[in-house]
Amino acid sequence: MERKIRMWCLLILLLVGVNIALNAQPKSKDLPNIVLISADDLGWSDIGCYGSEIHTPNLDRLGYEGMRFTQFHNTSKCFPSRACLLTGVYAQQCGYDQTFTSRISNAVTLGEVLKTAGYRTLWSGKHHGLENPVTRGFDRYYGLKDGACNHFNPGNQRPGEAMPARKGNNGNKRIREWCIDTVMYHPYTPEEKDFYTTDYFTNYALGWLDEYKNEEKPFFLYLAYTAPHDPLMAWPSDIAKYKGKYDQGYELVRNQRYRKQIEIGLINESYRLSPATYAEWDDLVDSVRRDEIKKMEVYAAMIDRLDQNIGRILSKLGEIGADENTIILFVSDNGASAEMVHIDDDYGDIGSMTRWASLGYSWANVGNTPFRFYKNYSYEGGINTPLIAYWPQHIRSGTISDFPGHFVDIMATLVEISHATYPTEFNQEKIVPMQGQSLLPVFKGEHIMRNNPIFWEWEDGQAVRLDSMKLVRHGLEKHWELYNLAADPTETKDVAEVFPEKKKELEILFNNWKKDVSKF
């Protein structure tokens, strides 16, 4: 009898323990929805709440009512940045440090991980990778599997229209790949005459939000826009808004942005305006000056249209009752781009379907105000991204964070928020541990330190940051430069000779990291 009583007591204790464990794990329907938005080649100062004159009321609302980061980072180039964002490991660890034509290896995607927490996983926009996202944890995918495309028509010439501009010369025009769920199109020639990448990426996302609005599970929506990456193309009505806005040239706009950044409290005077690298406006011949004005008008129009579409997403979240339980993150995959594409046979006006125009180094210098250099560099102008984090009732309105972060932190953050399971093995492949640090304590307003160094390497650019000290160079034959980002966040004073031991320490740290990631 006594033995039976003990057995019953043990059984009751076991059941109570199981019940406590089950209740401790939040039900999937109680978890927050997640919307991750990335822009393409957007400069640090190119939206209003980061200093711009461009009309971005929706992003500004998210920024002013949420949290803006001043020292968050990508990897300075599209596809390695996107690989870090998607996997939570460095591009060197998942096979995306030199090419986007191989499968993601030794890593899992946000879609695969968030599925373990019961999320519906949706992706609309750019991938810049080999695999179709529906094979890597996403329930739905619509978008450009490739790197860049014509915004009005990524495919073949349509009846009654001119030939769309495509990259490549002498008949060597590479056809861009596009996917709609499991079907890959090569080329993708949209039938809709109102097609524009930014609008249609949003259209599909809105359709999915409607389709799954009654599900008893949260959703993860990854919106990977291609704007404002070249070709510079925009709707005429959007371009018209910026007529005359840039007639005075680079210096005026850059100085206005810098003053605004200080006035709105985004930065302080320690962010010295780095030396200008733009051309002398008055030295430009009239035809070049007219083209430079038009390029910036179109670039601004593309960002304006991007913001309009983000507004459509915000309205839909409110319509389906998801606005109060959704965390929204906004980033750019690298700094504004100085790359120039030259095509022999394109023609027509800048901004139109038949002309592939690029922003160029002068306006890119303005876009990355107040930092140095641009896309492809490991200086802050290439790697510092605006990060907006908006989460009603969780992130205090109007906060600014100088926490030094990196795209690899997004995986760790969403794993903690969603209580998802990050695996050690996946599909019989050993998985690299998460390389980032959760931002959830930062979102809560806690003052925390970074618990690990951050590394960068893309082509000629290399850098490592430990605490506030950053070692950086551009070109393997170049000497390393050292900056104290606490006192000099815009990298204007090299202190390598002042702190030779710190320079040596960081160089060893970088070389050890390089040796470690070379195993993958």
Side-chain angles (χ1 to χ4, degrees), residues 276-507:
T277 56
Y278 45 73
E280 286 294 330
W281 190 250
D282 292 337
D283 291 344
L284 301 178
V285 298
D286 288 348
S287 60
V288 172
R289 193 182 299 118
R290 284 195 297 271
D291 280 355
E292 287 295 293
I293 290 169
K294 187 60 180 287
K295 286 198 297 184
M296 191 59 199
E297 290 172 354
V298 176
Y299 182 76
M302 294 175 76
I303 296 169
D304 188 308
R305 176 62 59 158
L306 171 70
D307 185 81
Q308 292 175 47
N309 278 277
I310 290 171
R312 295 172 67 199
I313 295 293
L314 299 180
S315 295
K316 178 60 68 175
L317 293 176
E319 181 185 317
I320 65 175
D323 50 336
E324 290 300 312
N325 191 35
T326 298
I327 179 171
I328 301 173
L329 303 174
F330 173 85
V331 295
S332 176
D333 64 355
N334 44 249
S337 176
E339 295 174 344
M340 294 293 293
V341 174
H342 299 284
I343 298 176
D344 292 340
D345 56 355
D346 67 349
Y347 63 95
D349 293 335
I350 294 172
S352 69
M353 182 182 66
T354 59
R355 177 81 175 269
W356 192 300
S358 303
L359 189 65
Y361 76 94
S362 291
W363 284 122
N365 185 208
V366 175
N368 296 325
T369 304
F371 300 114
R372 297 172 62 194
F373 299 118
Y374 354 80
K375 176 182 179 178
N376 296 313
Y377 286 76
S378 292
Y379 293 91
E380 293 296 295
I383 62 175
N384 201 330
T385 174
L387 167 60
I388 295 172
Y390 174 83
W391 193 7
Q393 302 174 22
H394 294 272
I395 294 176
R396 188 163 60 87
S397 178
T399 49
I400 296 173
S401 173
D402 61 0
F403 179 80
H406 188 280
F407 273 7
V408 295
D409 297 336
I410 298 299
M411 174 69 83
T413 303
L414 298 188
V415 164
E416 184 172 8
I417 287 172
S418 67
H419 302 274
T421 300
Y422 187 89
T424 56
E425 290 188 0
F426 190 80
N427 288 343
Q428 299 181 327
E429 186 175 66
K430 189 175 181 181
I431 301 303
V432 178
M434 288 184 287
Q435 299 296 292
Q437 178 174 345
S438 174
L439 301 173
L440 187 56
V442 183
F443 294 165
K444 292 178 178 178
E446 298 175 19
H447 295 284
I448 63 169
M449 300 291 290
R450 183 158 197 96
N451 59 22
N452 56 4
I454 310 174
F455 300 93
W456 295 267
E457 184 175 42
W458 163 251
E459 288 191 338
D460 290 337
Q462 295 179 320
V464 55
R465 174 172 176 163
L466 180 63
D467 299 325
S468 65
M469 302 301 288
K470 178 184 173 187
L471 192 71
V472 59
R473 67 179 177 181
H474 191 76
L476 300 184
E477 75 287 355
K478 302 292 186 181
H479 71 277
W480 287 100
E481 300 168 20
L482 182 68
Y483 297 97
N484 179 1
L485 298 186
D488 179 25
T490 53
E491 302 167 312
T492 61
K493 186 178 180 181
D494 181 4
V495 295
E497 293 185 5
V498 181
F499 301 104
E501 291 303 314
K502 179 58 69 173
K503 174 178 177 288
K504 183 177 180 181
E505 176 193 351
L506 291 181
E507 189 172 357

Side-chain angles (χ1 to χ4, degrees), residues 44-109:
W44 201 74
S45 71
D46 278 335
I47 56 177
C49 61
Y50 274 78
S52 179
E53 69 294 332
I54 299 171
H55 188 61
T56 55
N58 297 295
L59 282 169
D60 293 351
R61 188 198 124 202
L62 297 177
Y64 290 130
E65 295 182 9
M67 178 177 286
R68 286 169 291 163
F69 285 69
T70 58
Q71 297 189 39
F72 201 77
H73 300 89
N74 47 53
T75 73
S76 87
K77 179 68 174 180
C78 306
F79 66 82
S81 285
R82 291 166 188 275
C84 293
L85 187 65
L86 189 62
T87 65
V89 303
Y90 287 104
Q92 288 79 1
Q93 296 168 310
C94 65
Y96 268 67
D97 55 320
Q98 296 180 29
T99 178
F100 60 91
T101 59
S102 58
R103 60 179 290 272
I104 295 169
S105 58
N106 307 112
V108 284
T109 71

Side-chain angles (χ1 to χ4, degrees), residues 139-154:
D139 296 315
R140 307 296 297 273
Y141 176 62
Y142 169 84
L144 176 68
K145 197 169 74 67
D146 224 307
C149 71
N150 190 300
H151 292 282
F152 286 119
N153 179 5

Side-chain angles (χ1 to χ4, degrees), residues 205-264:
L206 296 176
W208 295 331
L209 293 179
D210 269 331
E211 182 177 349
Y212 299 118
K213 65 184 176 183
N214 294 321
E215 280 193 329
E216 288 292 309
K217 60 166 65 176
F219 61 81
F220 167 54
L221 171 62
Y222 179 26
L223 259 173
Y225 290 108
T226 50
H229 194 296
D230 66 3
L232 299 181
M233 295 178 179
W235 292 113
S237 58
D238 290 330
I239 300 171
K241 299 176 187 178
Y242 296 93
K243 182 72 173 172
K245 197 84 172 178
Y246 301 103
D247 290 2
Q248 300 306 309
Y250 317 118
E251 183 175 10
L252 179 69
V253 178
R254 189 170 187 249
N255 288 339
Q256 286 176 339
R257 289 189 178 192
Y258 180 62
R259 287 196 298 271
K260 181 179 177 181
Q261 289 169 340
I262 292 175
E263 288 168 3
I264 63 178

